Amino acid sequence: MSSKNELDVYLFHRGEHKRAYEFMGAHSIPGGIIFRVWAPNARSVSVVGDFNSWNGRNHSMKRINAEGIWEVEIEGLSEGTIYKYAIEGQNGTIVNKSDPYAFYSEVRPNTASVIYPMKTYEWTDEKWIKRRDKLNHYENPMNIYEVHLGSWKRGGDGEFLNYREMADDLAKYVKNMAYTHVEIMPVGEYPLDASWGYQGTGYYSVTSRYGNPEDLKYFVDALHKKNIGVILDWVPGHFCKDTHGLYRFDGTPTYEYSWNLLGENYDWGTANFDLGRNEVRSFLISNALYWMREFHIDGLRIDAVANMIYLDYGKNGHPELRNEYGGNENLVAVEFLRRVNKAVLEEFPGNYVFAEESTAWPMVTKPDYVGGLGFTYKWNMGWMNDTLDYMSKDSLYKKWHHENITFSFVYAYAENYTLPLSHDEVVHGKKSLIDKMPGSYEEKFPNLRCLYGYMMGTPGKKLLFMGGEFGQFAEWKFDEGLDWHLLDYPKHKEMKRYVRDLNRFYKREKSLWEKDIHGDGFQWIDCLNHEESLISFIRRGKDKDEFLVGVFNFTPVERRGYKVGVPRFTVYEEVFNSDLKIYGGNTEKVREEIHPVREGWNDMKQHILIDVPPLSAVYYKGKFKRRG
């Protein structure tokens, strides 16, 4: 064994290998392919495929160390050869397994791995990468369009589009709609379409549903050329139990916890990764970096973090699931998350890692050296639940639930938050966003415009799932394209224009994002008007003259001559109004000038008098400088 290979083996078994995919798996050598796989409790391992009629007698692998790495060189094999590992367990049972480190796989329902040497791709996104690495993303706009690649659009006969076919259309669409990032649901190989990619088998294998690895690179490159970042959903907590996958890989728990109570995820029918096992850590940390190195992914959104950090998550507080100190925290998972976040941000300091974490676990976005988990952002699930609950109520009852729209501001700066209106909120009988809104067909649209306008003013980065931008009425369906035909109807066309203009407004106004993680970037004007279900607040930028006054009316009643305290005695102008006729509302045009009154109101020395449209989000700005 070469000295380099010895180092690979050493790092792999210590859980410190950050490029495990360059050593493990199938790789080209002069005249053929070398295969390596980790199967510590296997009695024997062979490589099988069409090339040997799926009989591994002549291609047995040699165990190269006591910790269970197996290796064989096979001459004459090349790119495109399909293969699996025939793994004999200690009981003599042989199971054919896909390669955990394969870069490509057969199109489902077939399950074999495909020899696919990583190719050199001619990237054209150098400007984007340089800009990304220099940018302080905390103090810049981040407005994310979440996409499921299999159902954004479909081909004429309902077939999947290729990554390349989607790339240019999606990049142009997202650019026009003024989003800053796209988040794509998992693209590692997975067997069941209905799992949306969250129950995987091939963590390094770009799903062949939509093309090959070079096609995915083209997709990312195309978005980067439009100055659109790409975030990838990543699932290091659990994996599916299909026979050809990671489950019981060598006949025993290998990638999953050995204790069934901890290793089995009964609610989801999956298995939980053993995040304390060194070889699993090398596998997963290398995988996180793989997507960033090889595919120029800008960020990862880690799915189901709560399932990882609580021993008894989904187990009804099982008394046996306790750590050495008696708590229910999964200490090895906590350490793993700190390691993976540190590894990502050390190598890619301009990138970001999001936690989809639904509990009150403290310091999720604080550094590991102060006891945090080290994420850059956390999805604000509390804001999402409270806000959607409030917005779905009839306006008559909102005054009794006013805290649902104000409470999230109490903890808005406890973490670096992202506000998610994601795919999870528009499936499984939860209704689409537009259909959650109360009232008739016509009344739902101003409610939704108000929600989006309020969301843009709330501290935190933004995320909206595809279809929400034009008011898709049906719940999301993973097996068909969005209802783009709705854009033939005026209300949906107006909604799309509204979201586009709102996104552009967000990007333009520094006060909506420059101090997203600083508490002095937000100030209440009035959070107590529950009787009229109306709130107002200030968002501030770094410049003392950079601020917006936002007023939000959550009822269908116009409030005429409404007093709003303002922080400076200057002329104000209305800079955004969700009730404009071009968006389907009733207001003809914005008010160009509003002069304040020197009378104290809302604990401020002056106020403005405004007419607040029904179900509206309206923003005002002081006229201190010439606006370009």
Side-chain angles (χ1 to χ4, degrees):
M1 188 185 298
S2 70
S3 58
K4 180 186 182 305
N5 288 355
E6 287 178 357
L7 178 61
D8 284 320
V9 170
Y10 173 77
L11 292 174
F12 179 73
H13 291 305
R14 282 181 60 87
E16 297 173 1
H17 209 314
K18 296 177 182 178
R19 293 179 175 269
Y21 62 92
E22 295 179 348
F23 175 65
M24 304 295 288
H27 297 278
S28 296
I29 56 172
I33 301 292
I34 186 168
F35 297 86
R36 296 189 186 94
V37 66
W38 175 61
N41 293 307
R43 181 186 291 180
S44 68
V45 183
S46 300
V47 181
V48 296
D50 283 346
F51 62 93
N52 62 12
S53 301
W54 298 92
N55 185 332
R57 241 174 278 159
N58 296 326
H59 299 106
S60 297
M61 304 182 79
K62 178 183 178 182
R63 188 178 185 124
I64 64 172
N65 65 356
E67 291 81 9
I69 295 179
W70 300 75
E71 180 182 281
V72 68
E73 296 180 12
I74 303 179
E75 296 181 354
L77 298 187
S78 59
E79 179 179 340
T81 301
I82 63 172
Y83 69 100
K84 285 185 177 181
Y85 297 116
I87 299 179
E88 181 185 10
Q90 291 299 316
N91 63 0
T93 300
I94 297 175
V95 178
N96 288 350
K97 292 284 190 177
S98 300
D99 187 349
Y101 288 90
F103 296 139
Y104 201 44
S105 304
E106 290 185 292
V107 179
R108 55 94 177 94
N110 295 328
T111 58
S113 300
V114 179
I115 294 175
Y116 197 97
M118 192 60 70
K119 300 176 177 64
T120 300
Y121 180 84
E122 296 296 328
W123 289 94
T124 61
D125 62 351
E126 183 179 1
K127 286 184 179 179
W128 165 264
I129 298 295
K130 285 182 177 180
R131 176 180 175 273
R132 181 197 70 190
D133 291 347
K134 291 179 181 178
L135 194 70
N136 181 347
H137 54 80
Y138 293 116
E139 298 179 356
N140 276 275
M142 185 178 288
N143 188 8
I144 304 163
Y145 185 61
E146 187 191 17
V147 174
H148 175 254
L149 294 179
S151 58
W152 183 64
K153 285 184 178 179
R154 289 282 182 113
D157 295 325
E159 74 277 7
F160 291 129
L161 298 178
N162 182 278
Y163 296 110
R164 290 177 186 264
E165 291 176 308
M166 280 183 280
D168 296 325
D169 278 353
L170 183 62
K172 187 184 300 182
Y173 181 79
V174 170
K175 184 71 172 179
N176 178 63
M177 290 297 292
Y179 290 100
T180 64
H181 292 72
V182 164
E183 179 177 321
I184 55 176
M185 292 159 77
V187 294
E189 195 57 79
Y190 58 102
L192 182 66
D193 290 358
S195 80
W196 316 332
Y198 292 97
Q199 297 185 11
T201 51
Y203 272 68
Y204 291 85
S205 181
V206 172
T207 179
S208 52
R209 286 168 174 79
Y210 318 126
N212 61 39
E214 278 59 55
D215 295 331
L216 179 59
K217 291 175 183 178
Y218 178 93
F219 174 91
V220 176
D221 207 16
L223 285 158
H224 283 175
K225 283 191 285 189
K226 294 286 188 181
N227 289 319
I228 304 296
V230 182
I231 299 161
L232 174 66
D233 276 12
W234 187 55
V235 193
H238 66 116
F239 55 90
C240 80
K241 294 164 62 174
D242 287 45
T243 304
H244 68 281
L246 301 174
Y247 188 66
R248 299 290 193 268
F249 191 76
D250 62 7
T252 68
T254 309
Y255 286 86
E256 67 271 29
Y257 294 104
S258 58
W259 184 19
N260 273 1
L261 190 58
L262 195 56
E264 294 290 329
N265 195 315
Y266 298 109
D267 284 348
W268 299 336
T270 56
N272 292 322
F273 276 110
D274 183 347
L275 300 173
R277 193 163 193 174
N278 285 338
E279 294 83 0
V280 174
R281 288 183 171 187
S282 287
F283 174 79
L284 289 172
I285 292 174
S286 293
N287 187 244
L289 296 170
Y290 164 78
W291 293 110
M292 293 180 171
R293 284 195 203 110
E294 307 298 337
F295 295 92
H296 290 202
I297 294 295
D298 304 294
L300 298 173
R301 176 263 196 183
I302 298 188
D303 182 66
V305 170
N307 175 62
M308 302 164 72
I309 59 179
Y310 293 101
L311 293 166
D312 56 356
Y313 184 85
K315 308 283 174 51
N316 297 317
H318 198 288
E320 292 182 56
L321 292 170
R322 292 292 180 267
N323 62 38
E324 58 195 278
Y325 304 106
N328 67 339
E329 302 88 357
N330 187 334
L331 301 180
V332 298
V334 168
E335 177 60 23
F336 164 78
L337 289 171
R338 288 172 176 162
R339 284 196 189 190
V340 73
N341 287 330
K342 185 177 180 181
V344 165
L345 297 177
E346 280 182 346
E347 186 167 341
F348 301 98
N351 284 16
Y352 6 88
V353 189
F354 300 77
E356 192 253 327
E357 204 285 298
S358 55
T359 75
W361 186 283
M363 300 195 295
V364 171
T365 58
K366 299 297 185 288
D368 65 315
Y369 56 78
V370 298
L373 295 183
F375 286 91
T376 42
Y377 296 101
K378 173 182 174 176
W379 275 24
N380 194 337
M381 309 298 282
W383 172 88
M384 178 274 297
N385 282 307
D386 287 350
T387 299
L388 291 181
D389 179 66
Y390 179 82
M391 293 301 300
S392 66
K393 295 185 184 302
D394 188 286
S395 298
L396 289 172
Y397 304 108
K398 283 180 177 175
K399 64 182 178 181
W400 289 295
H401 301 274
H402 194 67
E403 71 282 356
N404 278 15
I405 208 69
T406 60
F407 178 68
S408 67
F409 293 90
V410 172
Y411 60 87
Y413 293 98
E415 302 279 5
N416 306 329
Y417 281 118
T418 297
L419 310 180
L421 296 176
S422 75
H423 66 274
D424 277 329
E425 313 321 315
V426 295
V427 291
H428 301 322
K430 296 176 186 175
K431 299 183 178 180
S432 65
L433 291 179
I434 187 74
D435 205 21
K436 291 180 196 289
M437 300 299 107
S440 65
Y441 172 82
E442 289 78 11
E443 291 168 333
K444 289 177 182 293
F445 287 89
N447 267 289
L448 190 60
R449 293 197 304 269
C450 184
L451 167 60
Y452 290 162
Y454 157 77
M455 176 186 183
M456 284 301 172
T458 304
K461 307 309 183 187
K462 324 298 177 188
L463 180 142
L464 181 65
F465 184 58
M466 63 182 197
E469 76 275 18
F470 59 83
Q472 172 154 318
F473 256 94
E475 286 190 349
W476 168 54
K477 301 176 283 292
F478 70 89
D479 53 355
E480 57 185 80
L482 295 179
D483 293 337
W484 293 105
H485 65 274
L486 289 176
L487 292 174
D488 294 333
Y489 298 89
K491 289 293 183 186
H492 297 275
K493 190 174 183 179
E494 291 161 351
M495 177 60 73
K496 179 172 173 283
R497 178 174 181 173
Y498 170 73
V499 171
R500 182 200 66 186
D501 289 357
L502 180 63
N503 290 349
R504 290 176 178 177
F505 171 70
Y506 168 75
K507 287 179 74 175
R508 185 171 70 241
E509 296 295 339
K510 294 181 180 180
S511 56
L512 293 177
W513 36 264
E514 269 192 337
K515 289 198 165 187
D516 248 346
I517 64 171
H518 302 290
D520 60 349
F522 174 87
Q523 179 184 349
W524 278 116
I525 297 175
D526 186 1
C527 62
L528 301 176
N529 190 355
H530 61 90
E531 281 295 332
E532 295 177 304
S533 299
L534 198 151
I535 64 172
S536 51
F537 55 68
I538 301 167
R539 289 300 309 275
R540 299 183 186 277
K542 291 181 178 180
D543 190 308
K544 64 182 176 62
D545 293 336
E546 194 71 54
F547 68 88
L548 287 172
V549 171
V551 182
F552 309 90
N553 182 1
F554 296 105
T555 72
V557 180
E558 182 183 17
R559 307 296 178 183
R560 299 185 68 83
Y562 191 81
K563 288 184 179 181
V564 177
V566 289
R568 301 277 291 278
F569 191 83
T570 187
V571 175
Y572 288 80
E573 62 179 327
E574 189 179 288
V575 289
F576 193 85
N577 189 330
S578 69
D579 190 56
L580 292 183
K581 283 194 171 181
I582 57 173
Y583 306 139
N586 297 299
T587 302
E588 285 287 349
K589 61 180 181 178
V590 299
R591 290 180 63 185
E592 293 182 359
E593 288 193 351
I594 304 168
H595 294 265
V597 179
R598 283 195 183 276
E599 178 190 359
W601 198 257
N602 300 131
D603 294 325
M604 297 186 192
K605 294 180 180 179
Q606 54 276 316
H607 69 268
I608 55 176
L609 282 171
I610 57 175
D611 296 333
V612 186
L615 294 170
S616 65
V618 188
Y619 288 90
Y620 303 88
K621 188 171 186 176
K623 296 178 72 173
F624 299 104
K625 300 177 181 178
R626 184 186 299 274
R627 300 185 68 228

